[in-house]
Every structure is written in structure tokens, then in C-alpha cells.
Amino acid sequence: MFYIIILLIAFLALYLLYESGFIALQNKRAMLFTASINGMKAKFGGCTGKITRVVRFKEQKEYIIHFERTVEKGSVRFCLYDGENNALIESGEKETYALSLIPGKRYKICIQLDKATGSYHIDIA
């Protein structure tokens, strides 16, 4: 019984860290993958999967979101969803986006990789 309580506390702590935006949820297979702990930049080789991170913004203003990717092989997609899972950004050729976002509201950044080799970096200003 003691071990079950410890496991529940550990899962609750991880969930709270994810919801607060401190860690990224990563579901991927890769030959090589190195990333920042928050999932905002990474280098990878032979990677297929998905990386998700929750973000909240502190003030009401127009934010510039820049998604820079270097892909040697495969594909890398960037998406931004609001709290109701409506897509605000679905990446195409454009890599810089300007959005007015609501402070305190929960947004979700999602990176989808398909047999990709390269790197990405997300900058929000």
C-alpha cells in the first residue's frame, strides 16, 4: 500500500509540473535526441513522435512566435492549440507568427516529428 501512495504522489507531481509548463511530455522513438528540459529546442536523428508542452502568458499583448527548423530528412510540424484544443497555428511554410494571446489561459505547443533528422528552436517574444 505504501508503494502505491508513493507512485500516486510521483505521478501527481509530474502532472503538476507538466500543467505548470515546467516540463514537456515526450512520446517518441529516436536514434539520437537531445533537448532542453522544457522542449523548446532540440537536435535529433531518426526521430518519430510527439513533444507537447503547456504554456501560459503573463500579459495581454501581441506575441511573436518564431519556429526555426533545420531538417535534413523527414518532416517536423509545429502546432499551437488553445485550451479547447482549437488549432491557432499549424505550421506550413511560414515560420514566424504574430498572435494576441490571453494572459493566464492555458495553451499547448506540439511538435510532431516523422522520421526526422535535424533540429528545431522555438522563440516566443
Side-chain angles (χ1 to χ4, degrees):
M1 183 67 171
F2 177 72
Y3 295 113
I4 293 172
I5 293 171
I6 296 297
L7 280 174
L8 287 174
I9 291 171
F11 282 121
L12 178 63
L14 287 173
Y15 176 76
L16 291 174
L17 286 171
Y18 169 73
E19 282 295 317
S20 301
F22 288 109
I23 61 172
L25 179 63
Q26 301 183 22
N27 180 15
K28 64 188 177 331
R29 287 186 327 259
M31 293 180 70
L32 168 71
F33 193 90
T34 58
S36 61
I37 193 150
N38 63 7
M40 298 299 267
K41 70 166 110 171
K43 293 181 183 179
F44 44 86
C47 187
T48 297
K50 185 175 173 181
I51 300 160
T52 307
R53 179 173 186 252
V54 172
V55 292
R56 288 185 172 85
F57 298 92
K58 293 183 180 182
E59 57 187 79
Q60 176 86 35
K61 70 174 192 173
E62 187 169 280
Y63 287 90
I64 305 298
I65 300 171
H66 181 72
F67 179 65
E68 181 181 327
R69 63 181 153 210
T70 306
V71 181
E72 298 167 16
K73 193 163 75 160
S75 67
V76 178
R77 236 177 105 219
F78 168 73
C79 301
L80 178 68
Y81 298 99
D82 64 9
E84 290 81 40
N85 274 343
N86 299 317
L88 302 176
I89 297 173
E90 288 190 289
S91 70
E93 296 302 314
K94 190 174 173 184
E95 292 187 348
T96 301
Y97 306 88
L99 293 171
S100 290
L101 302 171
I102 300 168
K105 189 173 178 183
R106 180 181 180 265
Y107 294 91
K108 187 167 52 172
I109 292 175
C110 181
I111 308 295
Q112 295 176 334
L113 305 140
D114 185 29
K115 300 176 187 170
T117 297
S119 64
Y120 72 81
H121 181 259
I122 302 168
D123 186 38
I124 301 173

Coordinates of all heavy atoms in Angstrom, one line a residue, residues 26-114:
Q26 N 6.9 13.9 -23.7 CA 7.6 13.5 -24.9 C 7.2 12.0 -25.1 O 7.4 11.2 -24.3 CB 9.1 13.6 -24.8 CG 9.5 15.1 -24.5 CD 11.0 15.3 -24.5 OE1 11.7 14.5 -25.0 NE2 11.4 16.3 -23.9
N27 N 6.7 11.7 -26.3 CA 6.3 10.4 -26.7 C 7.0 10.2 -28.1 O 6.5 10.6 -29.1 CB 4.8 10.2 -26.8 CG 4.4 8.9 -27.2 OD1 5.2 7.9 -27.2 ND2 3.1 8.8 -27.6
K28 N 8.2 9.6 -28.1 CA 9.0 9.5 -29.3 C 9.9 8.3 -29.3 O 10.2 7.7 -28.3 CB 9.8 10.8 -29.5 CG 10.8 11.0 -28.4 CD 11.5 12.3 -28.6 CE 12.4 12.6 -27.5 NZ 12.3 12.0 -26.2
R29 N 10.3 8.0 -30.5 CA 11.4 7.0 -30.7 C 12.5 7.7 -31.5 O 12.2 8.4 -32.5 CB 10.9 5.8 -31.6 CG 10.0 4.9 -30.9 CD 9.7 3.7 -31.8 NE 9.6 3.9 -33.2 CZ 8.5 4.1 -33.9 NH1 7.3 4.0 -33.3 NH2 8.5 4.4 -35.2
A30 N 13.7 7.5 -31.1 CA 14.8 8.2 -31.8 C 16.1 7.5 -31.7 O 16.3 6.8 -30.7 CB 14.9 9.6 -31.3
M31 N 16.9 7.6 -32.7 CA 18.3 7.1 -32.6 C 19.1 8.0 -31.8 O 20.0 7.6 -31.1 CB 18.9 6.9 -34.0 CG 18.1 5.8 -34.8 SD 18.8 5.6 -36.4 CE 20.4 4.9 -36.1
L32 N 18.8 9.3 -31.9 CA 19.6 10.4 -31.2 C 18.6 11.5 -30.9 O 17.9 11.9 -31.8 CB 20.7 10.9 -32.0 CG 21.4 12.2 -31.5 CD1 22.2 11.9 -30.3 CD2 22.3 12.8 -32.6
F33 N 18.5 12.0 -29.7 CA 17.7 13.1 -29.3 C 18.2 13.8 -28.1 O 18.4 13.2 -27.1 CB 16.2 12.6 -29.0 CG 15.2 13.7 -28.9 CD1 14.6 14.1 -30.1 CD2 15.0 14.4 -27.8 CE1 13.6 15.1 -30.0 CE2 14.1 15.4 -27.7 CZ 13.4 15.8 -28.8
T34 N 18.5 15.1 -28.3 CA 19.0 15.9 -27.1 C 18.1 17.2 -27.2 O 17.9 17.8 -28.2 CB 20.4 16.3 -27.2 OG1 20.7 17.0 -28.5 CG2 21.3 15.1 -27.1
A35 N 17.5 17.5 -26.0 CA 16.6 18.6 -26.0 C 16.8 19.4 -24.7 O 17.3 18.9 -23.7 CB 15.2 18.1 -26.1
S36 N 16.2 20.6 -24.7 CA 16.1 21.4 -23.4 C 15.0 20.7 -22.6 O 14.1 20.1 -23.2 CB 15.8 22.9 -23.7 OG 14.6 23.0 -24.4
I37 N 15.1 20.9 -21.3 CA 14.1 20.2 -20.5 C 12.6 20.7 -20.7 O 11.7 20.0 -20.6 CB 14.4 20.4 -19.0 CG1 13.6 19.4 -18.2 CG2 14.2 21.8 -18.5 CD1 14.2 19.0 -16.9
N38 N 12.5 21.9 -21.2 CA 11.1 22.4 -21.5 C 10.7 22.1 -22.9 O 9.6 22.5 -23.3 CB 11.0 23.9 -21.2 CG 11.9 24.8 -22.1 OD1 12.6 24.3 -23.0 ND2 12.0 26.0 -21.8
G39 N 11.5 21.5 -23.7 CA 11.1 21.1 -25.1 C 11.1 22.2 -26.1 O 10.6 22.0 -27.2
M40 N 11.7 23.4 -25.8 CA 11.7 24.5 -26.7 C 12.8 24.4 -27.8 O 12.8 25.2 -28.7 CB 11.7 25.8 -26.0 CG 10.6 26.0 -25.0 SD 9.0 26.0 -25.9 CE 8.8 27.8 -26.1
K41 N 13.8 23.6 -27.6 CA 14.8 23.4 -28.6 C 15.3 22.0 -28.5 O 15.4 21.4 -27.4 CB 15.9 24.4 -28.6 CG 16.8 24.3 -27.4 CD 18.1 25.2 -27.7 CE 18.1 26.4 -26.8 NZ 19.3 27.1 -26.9
A42 N 15.7 21.4 -29.7 CA 16.2 20.0 -29.7 C 17.0 19.8 -31.0 O 16.8 20.4 -32.0 CB 15.0 19.1 -29.6
K43 N 17.8 18.8 -30.9 CA 18.6 18.2 -32.0 C 18.2 16.7 -32.0 O 18.2 16.1 -31.0 CB 20.1 18.4 -31.9 CG 20.5 19.8 -32.0 CD 22.0 20.0 -31.9 CE 22.3 21.5 -31.9 NZ 23.7 21.7 -31.8
F44 N 18.0 16.1 -33.2 CA 17.6 14.8 -33.3 C 18.0 14.1 -34.5 O 18.3 14.7 -35.5 CB 16.0 14.7 -33.1 CG 15.3 15.7 -34.0 CD1 15.0 15.5 -35.3 CD2 15.0 17.0 -33.5 CE1 14.4 16.5 -36.1 CE2 14.4 18.0 -34.2 CZ 14.1 17.7 -35.6
G45 N 18.0 12.7 -34.5 CA 18.3 11.9 -35.6 C 17.4 10.7 -35.7 O 17.2 10.0 -34.7
G46 N 16.8 10.5 -36.8 CA 15.9 9.3 -37.0 C 14.7 9.3 -35.9 O 14.4 8.3 -35.3
C47 N 14.1 10.4 -35.8 CA 13.1 10.6 -34.7 C 11.7 10.6 -35.2 O 11.4 11.3 -36.2 CB 13.4 11.9 -33.9 SG 12.3 12.1 -32.5
T48 N 10.8 9.8 -34.6 CA 9.4 9.8 -34.9 C 8.7 10.0 -33.6 O 9.0 9.3 -32.6 CB 9.0 8.5 -35.6 OG1 9.7 8.4 -36.8 CG2 7.5 8.5 -35.8
G49 N 7.7 10.9 -33.5 CA 6.9 11.0 -32.3 C 6.4 12.4 -32.1 O 6.3 13.2 -33.0
K50 N 6.1 12.7 -30.8 CA 5.4 14.0 -30.5 C 5.9 14.5 -29.2 O 6.1 13.8 -28.2 CB 3.9 13.7 -30.4 CG 3.0 14.8 -30.1 CD 1.6 14.2 -30.2 CE 0.6 15.3 -29.8 NZ -0.8 14.7 -29.9
I51 N 6.1 15.8 -29.1 CA 6.5 16.5 -27.9 C 5.5 17.6 -27.6 O 5.1 18.4 -28.5 CB 7.9 17.2 -28.1 CG1 8.9 16.1 -28.4 CG2 8.3 18.0 -26.8 CD1 10.1 16.6 -29.1
T52 N 5.0 17.6 -26.4 CA 3.9 18.6 -26.0 C 4.3 19.3 -24.8 O 4.9 18.8 -23.8 CB 2.6 17.8 -25.7 OG1 2.3 17.0 -26.8 CG2 1.4 18.8 -25.5
R53 N 4.0 20.6 -24.8 CA 4.4 21.5 -23.6 C 3.2 22.5 -23.4 O 2.7 23.1 -24.4 CB 5.6 22.2 -23.9 CG 6.0 23.2 -22.8 CD 7.4 23.8 -22.9 NE 7.7 24.5 -21.7 CZ 7.7 25.8 -21.7 NH1 7.4 26.6 -22.7 NH2 8.0 26.4 -20.5
V54 N 2.9 22.7 -22.2 CA 1.8 23.7 -21.8 C 2.5 25.0 -21.6 O 3.6 25.0 -20.9 CB 1.1 23.2 -20.5 CG1 0.2 24.3 -20.0 CG2 0.3 22.0 -20.8
V55 N 2.0 26.1 -22.1 CA 2.5 27.4 -21.8 C 1.4 28.4 -21.4 O 0.2 28.2 -21.8 CB 3.2 28.0 -23.1 CG1 4.5 27.3 -23.4 CG2 2.3 28.1 -24.3
R56 N 1.7 29.3 -20.6 CA 0.8 30.4 -20.2 C 1.5 31.7 -20.4 O 2.7 31.8 -20.1 CB 0.3 30.2 -18.7 CG -0.6 29.1 -18.6 CD -1.1 29.0 -17.1 NE -2.2 28.0 -17.0 CZ -1.9 26.7 -16.7 NH1 -0.7 26.3 -16.7 NH2 -3.0 25.9 -16.6
F57 N 0.8 32.7 -20.7 CA 1.4 34.0 -21.0 C 1.0 35.0 -19.9 O -0.1 35.0 -19.4 CB 1.0 34.5 -22.4 CG 1.5 33.6 -23.5 CD1 0.7 32.6 -23.9 CD2 2.8 33.8 -24.0 CE1 1.1 31.8 -24.9 CE2 3.2 32.9 -25.0 CZ 2.4 31.9 -25.4
K58 N 1.9 35.9 -19.5 CA 1.7 36.8 -18.3 C 1.0 38.0 -18.6 O 0.3 38.6 -17.7 CB 3.1 37.1 -17.7 CG 3.8 35.9 -17.1 CD 5.1 36.3 -16.5 CE 5.7 35.0 -15.9 NZ 6.9 35.2 -15.2
E59 N 1.0 38.5 -19.9 CA 0.4 39.8 -20.1 C -0.4 39.8 -21.5 O 0.0 39.0 -22.3 CB 1.4 41.0 -20.1 CG 2.5 40.8 -21.0 CD 3.6 41.8 -20.8 OE1 4.4 41.7 -19.9 OE2 3.6 42.8 -21.7
Q60 N -1.3 40.7 -21.6 CA -2.1 40.8 -22.9 C -1.3 41.6 -23.8 O -1.1 42.8 -23.6 CB -3.5 41.5 -22.6 CG -4.3 41.7 -23.8 CD -5.1 40.5 -24.2 OE1 -5.6 39.8 -23.4 NE2 -5.3 40.3 -25.5
K61 N -0.8 41.0 -24.9 CA -0.1 41.7 -25.9 C 0.0 40.8 -27.1 O -0.4 39.7 -27.1 CB 1.3 42.2 -25.5 CG 2.3 41.0 -25.3 CD 3.7 41.5 -25.0 CE 4.7 40.4 -25.1 NZ 6.1 40.9 -24.9
E62 N 0.6 41.4 -28.2 CA 0.8 40.5 -29.4 C 2.1 39.9 -29.3 O 3.2 40.5 -29.2 CB 0.8 41.4 -30.7 CG 0.8 40.5 -31.9 CD 0.5 41.3 -33.2 OE1 -0.7 41.6 -33.4 OE2 1.5 41.7 -33.8
Y63 N 2.1 38.6 -29.2 CA 3.3 37.8 -29.1 C 3.8 37.3 -30.5 O 3.1 37.0 -31.4 CB 3.1 36.5 -28.3 CG 2.9 36.8 -26.8 CD1 1.7 37.1 -26.3 CD2 4.0 36.8 -25.9 CE1 1.5 37.3 -24.9 CE2 3.9 37.1 -24.6 CZ 2.7 37.4 -24.1 OH 2.5 37.6 -22.8
I64 N 5.2 37.4 -30.6 CA 5.8 36.9 -31.9 C 6.3 35.5 -31.6 O 7.2 35.4 -30.7 CB 6.9 37.8 -32.3 CG1 6.4 39.3 -32.5 CG2 7.6 37.3 -33.6 CD1 5.3 39.5 -33.5
I65 N 5.9 34.5 -32.3 CA 6.3 33.1 -32.1 C 7.1 32.8 -33.3 O 6.6 32.8 -34.4 CB 5.1 32.2 -31.9 CG1 4.4 32.6 -30.6 CG2 5.6 30.8 -31.8 CD1 3.1 31.9 -30.5
H66 N 8.4 32.5 -33.1 CA 9.3 32.1 -34.2 C 9.7 30.6 -34.1 O 10.2 30.2 -33.0 CB 10.5 33.0 -34.2 CG 11.5 32.7 -35.3 ND1 11.2 33.0 -36.6 CD2 12.7 32.1 -35.4 CE1 12.2 32.6 -37.4 NE2 13.1 32.1 -36.7
F67 N 9.4 29.9 -35.1 CA 9.7 28.4 -35.1 C 10.8 28.2 -36.2 O 10.5 28.4 -37.4 CB 8.5 27.6 -35.4 CG 8.8 26.1 -35.5 CD1 9.2 25.4 -34.4 CD2 8.6 25.4 -36.7 CE1 9.4 24.1 -34.4 CE2 8.9 24.1 -36.7 CZ 9.3 23.4 -35.6
E68 N 12.0 27.9 -35.7 CA 13.1 27.7 -36.7 C 13.4 26.2 -36.7 O 13.6 25.6 -35.7 CB 14.3 28.5 -36.2 CG 15.5 28.4 -37.0 CD 16.7 29.2 -36.5 OE1 16.4 30.2 -35.8 OE2 17.8 28.8 -36.7
R69 N 13.5 25.7 -37.9 CA 13.8 24.3 -38.0 C 14.8 24.1 -39.1 O 14.8 24.8 -40.1 CB 12.5 23.5 -38.3 CG 11.9 23.8 -39.6 CD 10.6 23.0 -39.9 NE 9.8 23.8 -40.7 CZ 8.5 23.8 -40.7 NH1 7.9 23.0 -39.9 NH2 7.8 24.6 -41.5
T70 N 15.6 23.1 -38.9 CA 16.6 22.6 -39.9 C 16.4 21.1 -40.1 O 16.7 20.4 -39.1 CB 18.1 22.9 -39.5 OG1 18.2 24.3 -39.2 CG2 19.0 22.5 -40.6
V71 N 15.8 20.7 -41.2 CA 15.5 19.3 -41.4 C 16.3 18.8 -42.5 O 16.2 19.2 -43.7 CB 14.0 19.1 -41.6 CG1 13.6 17.7 -41.8 CG2 13.2 19.7 -40.5
E72 N 17.1 17.8 -42.3 CA 17.9 17.1 -43.3 C 17.1 16.0 -44.0 O 17.2 15.7 -45.2 CB 19.2 16.5 -42.7 CG 20.1 17.5 -42.1 CD 21.2 16.9 -41.3 OE1 21.4 15.7 -41.4 OE2 21.8 17.7 -40.5
K73 N 16.2 15.4 -43.2 CA 15.4 14.3 -43.7 C 14.1 14.2 -42.9 O 14.1 14.6 -41.7 CB 16.3 13.0 -43.4 CG 15.9 11.8 -44.1 CD 17.0 10.8 -44.1 CE 17.4 10.1 -42.8 NZ 18.1 8.9 -43.0
G74 N 13.0 13.7 -43.4 CA 11.8 13.6 -42.7 C 11.0 14.9 -42.6 O 11.2 15.8 -43.4
S75 N 10.1 15.0 -41.7 CA 9.4 16.2 -41.5 C 9.2 16.6 -40.0 O 9.1 15.7 -39.2 CB 8.0 16.1 -42.2 OG 7.2 15.1 -41.5
V76 N 9.1 17.9 -39.8 CA 8.8 18.4 -38.4 C 7.7 19.4 -38.6 O 7.7 20.3 -39.4 CB 10.1 19.1 -37.9 CG1 9.8 19.7 -36.5 CG2 11.3 18.2 -37.8
R77 N 6.6 19.2 -37.7 CA 5.5 20.1 -37.7 C 5.3 20.8 -36.4 O 5.5 20.2 -35.3 CB 4.2 19.2 -38.0 CG 3.4 19.7 -39.1 CD 2.2 18.8 -39.4 NE 1.1 19.5 -38.9 CZ 0.1 19.0 -38.3 NH1 0.0 17.7 -38.0 NH2 -0.9 19.7 -37.9
F78 N 4.9 22.0 -36.4 CA 4.7 22.8 -35.2 C 3.3 23.2 -35.1 O 2.7 23.7 -36.1 CB 5.6 24.1 -35.2 CG 5.3 25.1 -34.2 CD1 5.6 24.9 -32.9 CD2 4.7 26.3 -34.5 CE1 5.4 25.8 -31.9 CE2 4.4 27.3 -33.6 CZ 4.8 27.0 -32.3
C79 N 2.6 23.1 -33.9 CA 1.2 23.5 -33.8 C 1.1 24.2 -32.4 O 1.8 23.9 -31.5 CB 0.3 22.3 -33.8 SG 0.3 21.3 -35.3
L80 N 0.2 25.1 -32.3 CA -0.2 25.8 -31.1 C -1.7 25.7 -30.9 O -2.5 26.0 -31.8 CB 0.2 27.2 -31.1 CG -0.2 28.1 -29.8 CD1 0.6 27.6 -28.6 CD2 0.1 29.5 -30.1
Y81 N -2.2 25.1 -29.8 CA -3.6 24.9 -29.5 C -4.0 25.8 -28.3 O -3.2 25.9 -27.4 CB -3.9 23.4 -29.2 CG -3.5 22.5 -30.3 CD1 -2.3 21.8 -30.3 CD2 -4.4 22.3 -31.4 CE1 -2.0 20.9 -31.4 CE2 -4.1 21.5 -32.4 CZ -2.9 20.8 -32.4 OH -2.6 19.9 -33.4
D82 N -5.2 26.2 -28.3 CA -5.8 26.9 -27.1 C -6.3 25.9 -26.2 O -6.2 24.7 -26.4 CB -6.8 27.9 -27.5 CG -8.1 27.3 -28.2 OD1 -8.2 26.1 -28.2 OD2 -8.9 28.1 -28.7
G83 N -6.9 26.3 -25.1 CA -7.4 25.4 -24.0 C -8.5 24.4 -24.5 O -8.7 23.4 -23.9
E84 N -9.2 24.8 -25.6 CA -10.2 23.9 -26.1 C -9.7 23.0 -27.2 O -10.5 22.5 -28.0 CB -11.4 24.7 -26.5 CG -12.2 25.4 -25.4 CD -11.5 26.6 -24.9 OE1 -11.1 27.4 -25.8 OE2 -11.5 26.9 -23.7
N85 N -8.4 22.9 -27.4 CA -7.8 22.1 -28.5 C -8.1 22.6 -29.9 O -8.1 21.9 -30.8 CB -8.1 20.6 -28.4 CG -7.1 20.0 -27.5 OD1 -6.1 20.5 -27.1 ND2 -7.5 18.8 -27.0
N86 N -8.4 23.9 -30.0 CA -8.6 24.6 -31.3 C -7.2 25.0 -31.8 O -6.4 25.6 -31.1 CB -9.5 25.8 -31.3 CG -10.9 25.4 -30.8 OD1 -11.4 24.4 -31.2 ND2 -11.4 26.2 -29.9
A87 N -6.8 24.7 -33.1 CA -5.5 25.0 -33.6 C -5.4 26.5 -33.9 O -6.2 27.0 -34.7 CB -5.2 24.2 -34.8
L88 N -4.5 27.2 -33.2 CA -4.2 28.6 -33.6 C -3.1 28.7 -34.6 O -3.1 29.6 -35.4 CB -3.8 29.3 -32.3 CG -4.8 29.3 -31.1 CD1 -4.2 30.0 -29.9 CD2 -6.1 30.0 -31.5
I89 N -2.2 27.7 -34.6 CA -1.1 27.7 -35.6 C -0.9 26.2 -36.0 O -0.9 25.3 -35.1 CB 0.2 28.1 -35.0 CG1 0.2 29.6 -34.6 CG2 1.4 27.9 -36.0 CD1 1.4 30.1 -33.8
E90 N -0.9 26.0 -37.3 CA -0.5 24.7 -37.8 C 0.6 25.0 -38.8 O 0.3 25.7 -39.8 CB -1.7 23.9 -38.4 CG -2.6 23.4 -37.4 CD -3.7 22.5 -37.9 OE1 -4.5 23.0 -38.6 OE2 -3.6 21.3 -37.7
S91 N 1.8 24.6 -38.6 CA 2.9 25.0 -39.4 C 2.8 24.6 -40.8 O 2.3 23.5 -41.2 CB 4.2 24.5 -38.8 OG 4.3 23.1 -39.0
G92 N 3.3 25.5 -41.7 CA 3.4 25.2 -43.1 C 4.7 25.8 -43.5 O 5.8 25.5 -42.9
E93 N 4.7 26.6 -44.5 CA 6.0 27.3 -44.9 C 6.4 28.4 -44.0 O 7.5 28.7 -43.8 CB 5.8 27.8 -46.4 CG 5.6 26.7 -47.4 CD 6.7 25.7 -47.4 OE1 7.9 26.1 -47.4 OE2 6.4 24.5 -47.4
K94 N 5.4 29.1 -43.4 CA 5.6 30.2 -42.6 C 6.3 29.8 -41.3 O 5.9 28.8 -40.7 CB 4.3 30.9 -42.3 CG 4.4 32.3 -41.7 CD 3.0 32.9 -41.6 CE 3.0 34.1 -40.8 NZ 1.7 34.7 -40.6
E95 N 7.2 30.6 -40.8 CA 7.9 30.2 -39.5 C 7.8 31.3 -38.4 O 8.2 31.0 -37.3 CB 9.4 29.9 -39.8 CG 9.5 28.6 -40.6 CD 10.9 28.2 -40.7 OE1 11.8 29.0 -40.4 OE2 11.2 27.0 -41.2
T96 N 7.2 32.4 -38.7 CA 7.0 33.5 -37.7 C 5.6 33.8 -37.7 O 4.9 34.1 -38.7 CB 7.9 34.7 -38.1 OG1 9.3 34.3 -38.1 CG2 7.7 35.8 -37.0
Y97 N 5.0 33.8 -36.5 CA 3.6 34.1 -36.3 C 3.4 35.2 -35.3 O 4.1 35.3 -34.3 CB 2.9 32.8 -35.8 CG 3.1 31.6 -36.7 CD1 4.2 30.8 -36.4 CD2 2.3 31.3 -37.7 CE1 4.5 29.7 -37.2 CE2 2.5 30.2 -38.5 CZ 3.6 29.4 -38.3 OH 3.8 28.3 -39.1
A98 N 2.4 36.0 -35.5 CA 2.0 37.1 -34.5 C 0.6 36.8 -34.0 O -0.3 36.7 -34.8 CB 2.1 38.5 -35.2
L99 N 0.5 36.6 -32.7 CA -0.8 36.3 -32.1 C -1.1 37.1 -30.8 O -0.2 37.4 -30.1 CB -0.9 34.8 -31.7 CG -0.9 33.8 -32.8 CD1 -0.7 32.4 -32.1 CD2 -2.1 33.8 -33.6
S100 N -2.3 37.6 -30.6 CA -2.7 38.2 -29.4 C -3.3 37.1 -28.5 O -4.2 36.4 -28.9 CB -3.8 39.2 -29.6 OG -3.3 40.4 -30.3
L101 N -2.6 36.9 -27.4 CA -3.0 35.7 -26.5 C -3.4 36.2 -25.2 O -3.0 37.3 -24.7 CB -1.8 34.8 -26.4 CG -1.2 34.2 -27.7 CD1 0.1 33.5 -27.5 CD2 -2.3 33.3 -28.3
I102 N -4.3 35.5 -24.6 CA -5.0 35.9 -23.3 C -4.1 35.5 -22.1 O -3.6 34.3 -22.0 CB -6.3 35.3 -23.2 CG1 -7.2 35.7 -24.3 CG2 -7.0 35.6 -21.8 CD1 -8.5 34.9 -24.5
P103 N -3.8 36.4 -21.2 CA -2.9 36.1 -20.1 C -3.6 35.1 -19.1 O -4.8 35.1 -18.9 CB -2.7 37.4 -19.4 CG -3.7 38.3 -19.9 CD -4.2 37.8 -21.2
G104 N -2.7 34.1 -18.6 CA -3.2 33.1 -17.7 C -3.9 32.0 -18.3 O -4.1 30.9 -17.7
K105 N -4.3 32.1 -19.6 CA -5.0 31.0 -20.3 C -4.0 29.9 -20.7 O -2.9 30.2 -21.0 CB -5.7 31.5 -21.5 CG -6.6 30.5 -22.2 CD -7.4 31.1 -23.3 CE -8.3 30.0 -23.9 NZ -9.0 30.6 -25.1
R106 N -4.4 28.7 -20.7 CA -3.6 27.5 -21.0 C -3.5 27.3 -22.5 O -4.5 27.2 -23.1 CB -4.2 26.3 -20.3 CG -3.4 25.0 -20.5 CD -4.2 23.9 -19.7 NE -3.5 22.7 -19.9 CZ -3.9 21.8 -20.8 NH1 -4.8 22.0 -21.6 NH2 -3.2 20.6 -20.8
Y107 N -2.3 27.3 -23.0 CA -2.0 27.0 -24.4 C -1.1 25.7 -24.5 O -0.4 25.5 -23.6 CB -1.4 28.1 -25.2 CG -2.3 29.4 -25.3 CD1 -2.3 30.3 -24.3 CD2 -3.2 29.5 -26.3 CE1 -3.1 31.4 -24.3 CE2 -4.0 30.6 -26.4 CZ -4.0 31.6 -25.4 OH -4.8 32.7 -25.5
K108 N -1.2 25.0 -25.6 CA -0.4 23.8 -25.7 C 0.4 23.9 -27.0 O -0.1 24.1 -28.1 CB -1.3 22.6 -25.8 CG -0.5 21.3 -25.7 CD -1.4 20.1 -25.4 CE -2.6 20.0 -26.3 NZ -3.4 18.8 -26.2
I109 N 1.8 23.8 -26.9 CA 2.7 23.7 -28.0 C 2.9 22.2 -28.3 O 3.2 21.4 -27.4 CB 4.0 24.4 -27.7 CG1 3.8 25.9 -27.6 CG2 5.0 24.1 -28.8 CD1 5.0 26.7 -27.2
C110 N 2.8 21.9 -29.6 CA 3.0 20.5 -30.0 C 4.0 20.4 -31.2 O 3.8 21.1 -32.2 CB 1.7 19.9 -30.4 SG 1.8 18.2 -30.9
I111 N 5.0 19.6 -31.1 CA 6.0 19.3 -32.2 C 5.8 17.9 -32.6 O 5.8 17.0 -31.8 CB 7.4 19.5 -31.7 CG1 7.6 20.8 -31.0 CG2 8.4 19.3 -32.8 CD1 7.5 22.0 -31.9
Q112 N 5.5 17.7 -33.9 CA 5.3 16.3 -34.4 C 6.5 16.0 -35.4 O 6.7 16.8 -36.3 CB 4.0 16.2 -35.1 CG 2.8 16.3 -34.1 CD 1.5 16.3 -34.8 OE1 1.4 16.6 -36.0 NE2 0.5 15.9 -34.0
L113 N 7.2 14.9 -35.1 CA 8.3 14.5 -35.9 C 8.0 13.2 -36.7 O 7.4 12.3 -36.1 CB 9.5 14.3 -35.0 CG 9.9 15.5 -34.1 CD1 10.3 15.0 -32.8 CD2 10.9 16.3 -34.8
D114 N 8.4 13.1 -37.9 CA 8.2 11.9 -38.7 C 9.5 11.5 -39.4 O 9.8 12.2 -40.4 CB 7.0 12.1 -39.7 CG 6.7 10.9 -40.5 OD1 6.8 9.8 -39.9 OD2 6.2 11.0 -41.6

